[in-house]
Amino acid sequence: MRTLIRAAAATAVTALALTPAAALAAPSPSPGATTVTKAGTSFLTATTVTAGQPVQVGASTGDHLYWSFRADAGQVHEITATVTFPKRRTGASTWTVDVFDGLRRRQACTAGAQTPTVDAAATSVALGCTLRRVRQWAEPWSGDPLPGTYYVRLSVTDLPEPDLGLPVEVEMLVGATDEGGASGDDGELAAPLVPNTRAGKVLAAEPTPEPVAEEETDLTGWLPDAGSRWVWTGVGGVLAAVAGVVGFALTRRPRRS
């Protein structure tokens, strides 16, 4: 009984793991598109490709291959790549496909095998990266994808040293799906986030202002308070004057007749 339960659970987990990958439609080359047979070695020398244009390049293990493509607002791009090994390798290797925007910021992948590892007996490895929908605008501090030029970099990150420099065949394709200019998280606020709980009432007539009471005046109203700083300032001035007169009288020399 336990064996059957474990088998059913394993089947369910496998089905859940395979469902998202199966739901993603792999991009297909555009009819009549010219095949690109080269790749750049840096951001500055990246080879320009368009969506649906296939790429077939011969390279060496350890090379960094760069391509660039144009992304417009509302598009979702999916990059697929396949690396074929004509010769047998001595050990396992890890490959990665990275996507950067025009500011060289690495963009996150929402689906796809971005960094797969294959053993020495494998003859090829498949990579993939599905980007987020390109937005029309974003805050300067955010890393949201914006319209412009994007860069794809294919490279190997881990491999045995004897396999460095072995020939490989690379196939790459960029697919684009237009889902409209508005982003999925954009919208219009239909109601206030915090309702007004202290709403006022509508007045039918203009309210009559209340009369202002006249202040009572006193003859001593202009005098400062007993403890105010003006009183202490005046007292201090008088004492200073008296001290000056007394000091002058004590220090003055008597006149001789």
Side-chain angles (χ1 to χ4, degrees), residues 217-230:
T217 58
D218 191 4
L219 296 179
T220 60
W222 60 273
L223 295 177
D225 296 336
S228 65
R229 63 186 183 90
W230 297 107

Side-chain angles (χ1 to χ4, degrees), residues 59-67 81 83-85 89 91-98 114-119 125 127 152-168 170:
S60 300
T61 304
D63 292 344
H64 287 67
L65 307 180
Y66 287 82
W67 298 274
V83 181
T84 305
F85 312 113
R89 295 164 296 119
S93 59
T94 302
W95 297 76
T96 180
V97 56
D98 299 314
Q114 185 180 6
T115 311
T117 301
V118 293
D119 54 17
V125 57
L127 302 92
V152 180
R153 182 179 67 188
L154 179 65
S155 61
V156 59
T157 59
D158 186 19
L159 80 163
E161 186 175 356
D163 295 341
L164 189 63
L166 293 180
V168 292
V170 178

Side-chain angles (χ1 to χ4, degrees), residues 11 13 18 45 73 87 91 125 138 141 148 153-155 163 174 180 205 209-210 242:
T11 303
V13 171
L18 293 178
T45 60
K87 294 184 178 181
V125 57
W141 47 261
R153 182 179 67 188
L154 179 65
S155 61
D163 295 341
V174 177
E210 298 180 358
V242 173

Side-chain angles (χ1 to χ4, degrees), residues 24-46:
L24 295 175
S28 57
S30 300
T34 304
T35 302
V36 177
T37 58
K38 62 180 181 178
T41 56
S42 65
F43 288 104
L44 298 178
T45 60

